[in-house]
Amino acid sequence: MLEQKTFSYLKKNMPKELPPYDQFIGPFDADGDFQLVEYIGHGCYALVFKGYSETLKQHAAYKVIPKANLAPGESWKIEPQKANALENSTVVRCTGCWDLRESKGVVILKYDFVDGLSLHDFVKSNKHQITVPFIKSFLQAMLELFYELHERGIEHGDFHSRNILVTKPSPFQRNATEKFKVTDFGTGSITSDAKLTNDFDQLARVLSQLLECIDYQAISPEDKYSFNILNDHFRGKHLIEADCTRDPLARNPGMMLERLENIEDEYFARLAHSERTSLLTPFDYLSCEQIGQQYSLLHSLYSNKFLGISEIESANNLVVTGPRGCGKSTVFRSLSFKQQLQDDAKLPENISQRYLGIYYHCNDLYFKFPRYTSPQNAEAIDLPLHYLVARLLLEILDVLHGFVKNSVISSPKEIEVSKALWKELNLKRPSLPNADSFEMLIAALEKECKEIVIKWRNPTQPIKRQLYGPSTFLQICEIMQNEIQVLSGKPFFCFIDDYSMPHITEALQQNLNRLLMQRNEFCFFKMATESPVSYAASDIDGKLYVEGREFEILNLGLTYLREDAPRKLEFLDDVFVRRFNAVPDYPVKSLSELIGDGENISQNEIAKKIAEGTKTEWWGRETFSSMCSGDIHQLITLARKMVSDSGGTDKLNEIGKLPKIQPKDQNKAIRTHAGDFLKSLADSGSNGEHLRQIVTSFGNVAHSFVKYKCSKNETGRPRHQASRIELREAPVFEGKAKELYDDLIRYSIFIQDPRGKSFSGQVVPRLFLRRFLIPHFNLTFSGRDSILIGTSDFEELILSPKIFEAKKLLTGVVPDNYQVNEAIQHDFDFSGQDENGH
């Protein structure tokens, strides 16, 4: 969006910032007999020319940058220095530079000449040449470049399709193909007002543009498999995810290259097993996004024992949060009617459900409205809302089209409803015999969506039609339910997945909340967001939405923390049984066979052992279940690690006794897994190491309580066992403290219960340590005790965790005499409370 808007602006305003190009055509005395023979074009800040030396019979490219477009000083040299520091063959190198600001008011950079088109122009004029192999070749070339950039600690800084060149295949090489070249490094750092953009986000955007050129239905099965990996995994996850604790491939070009290079082998391996299984191992597909459009696989892996399902299916607008991998996407997709429609045999049964589920993933919004900010042009404010209304209606009509094909909706009824929708949607009805059909409405809305995005990317283009507002979608839903018998009394449940900041910006959420927070009988909106701090509960009109009135919140992390152990274990057992059964002849068929049931030992006994210095051994289903904060994928990853560390599937076949994984091996894997998470956390972004120190300091202090302090008012004086923070009053943070606090919640290092409990006349939040970190810090899973601290101490924990730890760490036994230790008790003791505050 930004790129296209900028270039549209330059076309109209070029003389204002860039000098006339014809004054530079001719001999360039500073560089031998080179002459600037042809004006190639311009970017945001410079003119580009083709030069030629008759003596050398050589072409070169010259970039002319007016001094008005340069940052002060010598920073203009950064661009050529970046390019020349790299060894990758895609880099267009700088071979000369001249500072002519005093004489001609410009700086001139000389580059190797590349005979070809920018990727932007190549796509426009050669769309038929954009194939899946072409895209894979492009992505591999870019990731190889990113690998070197990553290793050297350099960013490109202005990565987009106009700075990527596609060369013509050489006529002098056998089997020659297009090559890719990258230019204009660091424009954001050498010009006066540009900002660096994230290279991975920009690559995802370029990849999205290329994938849009593919006619999915026309390509081969192998290319479809590759397309799905490129679209669902790379575009939808690996490139845009910044947190390697959620995706090990995030910001890791080396691992992405390995993934890309294995696609072909994966396809043929899966093809060889397609007749007998959907999974090669029980630990494939750790996230719903990886399943893609494999409806039968999603159906076989989805557990209807999922905790929180009743709340999700309630007739309320709902904001669903929880750690990554807790199953939000899996449930949302599984409850959508398009997923259920794949099983024609169960169609009558599905139609009898009391709602019709519509699934929409916000990656679509992210790529259509990246880095959205509210437009200055008031006419453009409703463009994103118009787009979302059209996309949701497309999903509904696609389901209704399936009903027509299955004779659930008659042809006369389709014609009648279609006529009403053409009018209500204010769409131009085509003069075709089959115009009054859901299929033609789908085509019209697809075209509408494309035109809306074009209008958004060209803000000066007038908007000649009335845009859809919040009421449009509700009116269409009402028409459908009143006119189509099978939909009568059946509201639409719109499952809006990954509605999370920062990808869906606060401004974009506030725009769309005008629809998504509407309360009515015809549709309900269910929004999945990664954490409580990733959702904006307001709209652009200044309206604040209140939990319990416009919407409810379901925090799946809290759901798992509070659920009874038998129900939680029943769900986890079902998840693993489904996965084990999906692999023929797998050596185990249940979680119990793999890891056993564990020891029957109380948390108080475990705490006593910890206090005595006896090493705790964590193993078995009970421990496995207790470690779950809703992050199912973490447990699947842990089980995979246990199997791998024990020698893999072949080794499991040789083990005759149960459980197959021995307690000591489970214990080692559990502790190592938590350590790996903390290491990944430290590597994730600028705050990563600080976040790791926060949780480490808290864990160390909590462990010292287990060792040196007893719980108050408890018979038998058990050890104080706390893995949650209880605050005296609701914290109000600003600046860096708020940023770090939000990150603690966003990354689910702590699970936040904002309703907490009543303390000193106000409701204060509670923070629960991520459960699989408990063994790492030698704590227990007891929910009895808390660590109570004031807001100033809590802010110190966030901003200066080592200072907090030095002050609060217990180094000796705390006597029972309360008066002697009043300060310690006052700050830290809050015993006798369960997880619900009772």
Side-chain angles (χ1 to χ4, degrees):
M1 179 195 70
L2 181 64
E3 169 193 333
Q4 294 195 19
K5 288 167 68 176
T6 302
F7 277 96
S8 174
Y9 172 85
L10 281 169
K11 287 179 182 178
K12 297 181 179 180
N13 298 276
M14 176 178 164
K16 189 174 181 180
E17 297 291 343
L18 298 175
Y21 69 84
D22 52 6
Q23 73 180 60
F24 297 99
I25 298 294
F28 181 41
D29 298 336
D31 192 21
D33 72 336
F34 270 96
Q35 297 191 52
L36 275 57
V37 296
E38 181 183 344
Y39 169 65
I40 297 176
H42 68 275
C44 299
Y45 306 99
L47 302 171
V48 182
F49 297 88
K50 181 179 180 180
Y52 183 72
S53 166
E54 181 64 35
T55 301
L56 300 176
K57 305 295 183 184
Q58 180 185 11
H59 288 101
Y62 292 86
K63 178 189 285 189
V64 179
I65 311 173
K67 65 179 181 181
N69 290 342
L70 293 169
E74 301 298 303
S75 59
W76 60 272
K77 296 179 181 178
I78 293 175
E79 177 182 341
Q81 288 170 352
K82 274 188 181 181
N84 290 350
L86 299 168
E87 298 178 9
N88 190 278
S89 61
T90 64
V91 175
V92 180
R93 285 172 175 75
C94 182
T95 58
C97 63
W98 296 269
D99 185 353
L100 306 178
R101 283 177 288 184
E102 295 297 326
S103 59
K104 296 186 177 182
V106 297
V107 163
I108 298 180
L109 302 176
K110 178 183 180 181
Y111 287 90
D112 292 335
F113 179 75
V114 178
D115 187 13
L117 294 172
S118 73
L119 183 61
H120 176 271
D121 292 337
F122 185 87
V123 170
K124 288 177 63 175
S125 58
N126 300 278
K127 189 174 180 179
H128 63 284
Q129 290 181 240
I130 309 296
T131 63
V132 172
F134 177 94
I135 297 174
K136 288 171 68 177
S137 176
F138 161 77
L139 184 57
Q140 179 160 8
M142 297 304 103
L143 288 175
E144 292 284 7
L145 171 61
F146 278 28
Y147 181 83
E148 183 176 356
L149 290 171
H150 181 268
E151 293 300 302
R152 293 183 183 273
I154 299 174
E155 289 186 75
H156 181 284
D158 194 25
F159 190 88
H160 53 71
S161 59
R162 294 181 187 271
N163 285 341
I164 304 164
L165 305 176
V166 185
T167 70
K168 298 176 181 178
S170 171
F172 308 110
Q173 296 178 1
R174 296 177 60 241
N175 304 318
T177 59
E178 297 90 351
K179 302 294 183 184
F180 303 98
K181 295 287 185 178
V182 178
T183 187
D184 286 358
F185 282 76
T187 299
S189 62
I190 70 167
T191 53
S192 56
D193 60 354
K195 295 181 180 179
L196 286 169
T197 55
N198 181 270
D199 292 344
F200 288 94
D201 286 342
Q202 293 296 93
L203 178 56
R205 201 155 291 130
V206 176
L207 179 60
S208 180
Q209 294 165 4
L210 294 177
L211 291 170
E212 288 175 359
C213 298
I214 301 297
D215 181 356
Y216 185 81
Q217 300 305 321
I219 59 180
S220 69
E222 181 179 354
D223 281 350
K224 284 181 178 177
Y225 182 84
S226 296
F227 179 95
N228 290 335
I229 299 295
L230 295 171
N231 186 65
D232 299 339
H233 297 201
F234 283 89
R235 183 193 72 100
K237 187 174 184 182
H238 302 326
L239 291 172
I240 64 175
E241 178 60 76
D243 180 11
C244 56
T245 67
R246 295 166 181 168
D247 177 13
L249 276 65
R251 302 295 193 256
N252 191 321
M255 293 182 69
M256 285 191 224
L257 279 166
E258 290 181 18
R259 179 83 178 89
L260 184 66
E261 291 162 355
N262 287 333
I263 290 178
E264 185 176 353
D265 291 341
E266 285 179 18
Y267 171 74
F268 287 110
R270 201 164 301 283
L271 193 65
H273 289 79
S274 61
E275 295 182 1
R276 60 189 183 92
T277 183
S278 296
L279 295 181
L280 297 178
T281 81
F283 315 112
D284 293 343
Y285 300 108
L286 295 183
S287 68
C288 184
E289 290 83 359
Q290 294 175 336
I291 294 176
Q293 301 304 312
Q294 300 179 71
Y295 294 99
S296 60
L297 178 59
L298 178 61
H299 176 74
S300 66
L301 296 183
Y302 169 64
S303 171
N304 56 13
K305 301 180 187 297
F306 183 86
L307 304 182
I309 194 69
S310 59
E311 290 90 341
I312 292 175
E313 292 191 297
S314 64
N316 290 301
N317 288 340
L318 189 68
V319 175
V320 184
T321 73
R324 284 284 184 95
C326 68
K328 300 185 294 288
S329 296
T330 300
V331 173
F332 274 20
R333 280 191 55 190
S334 297
L335 296 180
S336 70
F337 208 92
K338 186 177 286 188
Q339 167 69 25
Q340 297 164 4
L341 198 63
Q342 305 306 309
D343 190 350
D344 293 340
K346 290 189 175 182
L347 189 57
E349 174 188 329
N350 293 335
I351 291 175
S352 67
Q353 288 188 350
R354 58 184 178 82
Y355 66 87
L356 191 145
I358 301 299
Y359 178 81
Y360 175 76
H361 198 289
C362 288
N363 267 351
D364 179 50
L365 279 175
Y366 171 65
F367 286 107
K368 298 302 188 298
F369 302 94
R371 299 192 300 275
Y372 177 88
T373 56
S374 295
Q376 294 181 347
N377 177 12
E379 284 188 332
I381 286 176
D382 284 335
L383 286 173
L385 187 58
H386 183 100
Y387 178 86
L388 181 62
V389 168
R391 290 302 312 177
L392 293 177
L393 291 176
L394 271 168
E395 296 297 327
I396 292 176
L397 288 169
D398 194 32
V399 171
L400 298 187
H401 180 55
F403 282 177
V404 172
K405 290 194 296 184
N406 286 276
S407 302
V408 175
I409 297 177
S410 67
S411 180
K413 178 55 70 174
E414 179 188 20
I415 293 172
E416 177 187 346
V417 173
S418 296
K419 286 180 178 178
L421 295 185
W422 282 116
K423 181 178 180 181
E424 192 67 33
L425 290 170
N426 193 23
L427 293 171
K428 185 177 180 181
R429 180 180 175 278
S431 300
L432 296 170
N434 64 335
D436 296 319
S437 66
F438 297 144
E439 191 171 16
M440 292 301 292
L441 279 164
I442 288 170
L445 283 171
E446 288 279 12
K447 182 180 179 182
E448 187 74 8
C449 287
K450 292 179 181 178
E451 290 178 352
I452 286 299
V453 173
I454 292 172
K455 285 183 172 67
W456 170 252
R457 291 174 175 173
N458 295 274
T460 58
Q461 182 177 336
I463 300 169
K464 299 180 180 179
R465 62 157 299 160
Q466 184 175 355
L467 298 175
Y468 301 149
S471 62
T472 305
F473 185 75
L474 309 182
Q475 290 166 357
I476 297 299
C477 291
E478 183 177 3
I479 289 172
M480 291 177 177
Q481 289 170 36
N482 288 339
E483 298 297 328
I484 300 175
Q485 184 177 1
V486 72
L487 299 181
S488 179
K490 194 187 302 293
F492 295 103
F493 277 17
C494 297
F495 297 108
I496 312 297
D497 199 7
D498 207 6
Y499 191 60
S500 302
M501 293 188 282
H503 284 158
I504 308 304
T505 65
E506 183 175 14
L508 185 53
Q509 287 191 14
Q510 289 173 335
N511 191 317
L512 302 178
N513 282 348
R514 293 178 293 159
L515 170 64
L516 302 181
M517 283 289 114
Q518 290 291 325
R519 294 172 293 166
N520 66 96
E521 62 185 294
F522 304 108
C523 61
F524 296 94
F525 299 97
K526 318 286 183 173
M527 290 150 284
T529 190
E530 66 181 2
S531 79
V533 298
S534 301
Y535 170 69
S538 60
D539 66 23
I540 56 175
D541 298 320
K543 180 177 176 61
L544 298 177
Y545 297 109
V546 180
E547 180 189 354
R549 188 175 68 192
E550 284 87 7
F551 68 98
E552 301 290 340
I553 286 182
L554 174 63
N555 188 324
L556 290 171
L558 290 177
T559 298
Y560 282 82
L561 287 172
R562 291 172 170 167
E563 188 55 73
D564 293 338
R567 271 205 67 199
K568 184 158 59 171
L569 194 49
E570 181 184 17
F571 165 66
L572 291 175
D573 279 339
D574 191 48
V575 167
F576 279 93
V577 163
R578 289 172 177 273
R579 287 179 165 273
F580 293 143
N581 287 338
V583 182
D585 305 321
Y586 198 71
V588 297
K589 292 299 180 185
S590 70
L591 195 55
S592 180
E593 291 181 18
L594 184 68
I595 62 175
D597 296 331
E599 296 178 292
N600 185 17
I601 180 172
S602 71
Q603 298 300 308
N604 285 343
E605 291 177 87
I606 293 174
K608 184 178 179 182
K609 287 185 174 183
I610 292 172
E612 294 170 348
T614 304
K615 193 169 183 179
T616 308
E617 197 165 72
W618 301 99
W619 68 282
R621 288 165 64 247
E622 292 272 345
T623 293
F624 214 67
S625 173
S626 297
M627 289 171 59
C628 184
S629 302
D631 38 11
I632 314 303
H633 85 290
Q634 289 285 354
L635 298 188
I636 297 172
T637 300
L638 176 56
R640 178 175 65 186
K641 179 175 177 55
M642 290 178 178
V643 171
S644 176
D645 290 350
S646 298
T649 305
D650 291 340
K651 187 66 176 179
L652 288 186
N653 270 313
E654 298 173 7
I655 299 174
K657 59 182 179 180
L658 298 178
K660 296 277 189 176
I661 310 295
Q662 292 305 296
K664 63 179 179 61
D665 297 323
Q666 294 183 44
N667 178 64
K668 181 180 178 182
I670 286 170
R671 293 180 182 276
T672 303
H673 183 65
D676 289 344
F677 172 82
L678 292 175
K679 184 179 183 302
S680 295
L681 178 65
D683 294 338
S684 60
S686 58
N687 290 333
E689 174 56 31
H690 193 90
L691 295 174
R692 186 196 66 79
Q693 186 56 57
I694 292 173
V695 69
T696 299
S697 292
F698 169 77
N700 291 341
V701 169
H703 173 69
S704 75
F705 273 52
V706 179
K707 288 187 68 175
Y708 298 121
K709 190 174 185 301
C710 290
S711 185
K712 289 200 308 178
N713 303 322
E714 290 289 328
T715 304
R717 308 297 288 154
R719 311 308 303 177
H720 187 284
Q721 303 160 60
S723 59
R724 67 169 179 247
I725 296 174
E726 197 88 56
L727 298 175
R728 292 184 180 282
E729 54 195 62
V732 179
F733 294 132
E734 295 180 350
K736 190 64 175 180
K738 184 179 188 307
E739 178 185 333
L740 290 166
Y741 179 77
D742 286 352
D743 280 350
L744 288 172
I745 305 306
R746 180 178 291 111
Y747 296 156
S748 298
I749 300 166
F750 288 94
I751 309 295
Q752 181 195 55
D753 181 1
R755 287 165 288 192
K757 65 170 291 293
S758 179
F759 185 75
S760 300
Q762 63 174 323
V763 175
V764 294
R766 283 173 156 178
L767 299 175
F768 295 81
L769 180 66
R770 187 84 166 255
R771 302 293 273 184
F772 68 76
L773 294 175
I774 286 176
H776 177 81
F777 292 114
N778 279 331
L779 307 178
T780 77
F781 293 109
S782 171
R784 185 189 62 239
D785 299 324
S786 299
I787 289 184
L788 174 66
I789 57 177
T791 52
S792 60
D793 281 335
F794 186 48
E795 186 167 8
E796 185 172 65
L797 169 61
I798 292 174
L799 292 174
S800 305
K802 291 183 179 180
I803 295 176
F804 172 90
E805 180 180 348
K807 287 181 180 179
K808 307 302 184 184
L809 192 76
L810 300 181
T811 57
V813 174
V814 177
D816 288 343
N817 186 332
Y818 178 83
Q819 298 300 324
V820 174
N821 297 280
E822 182 176 357
I824 295 177
Q825 297 280 357
H826 181 69
D827 282 344
F828 284 92
D829 190 36
F830 201 72
S831 304
Q833 298 278 335
D834 65 18
E835 291 182 354
N836 294 310
H838 302 303

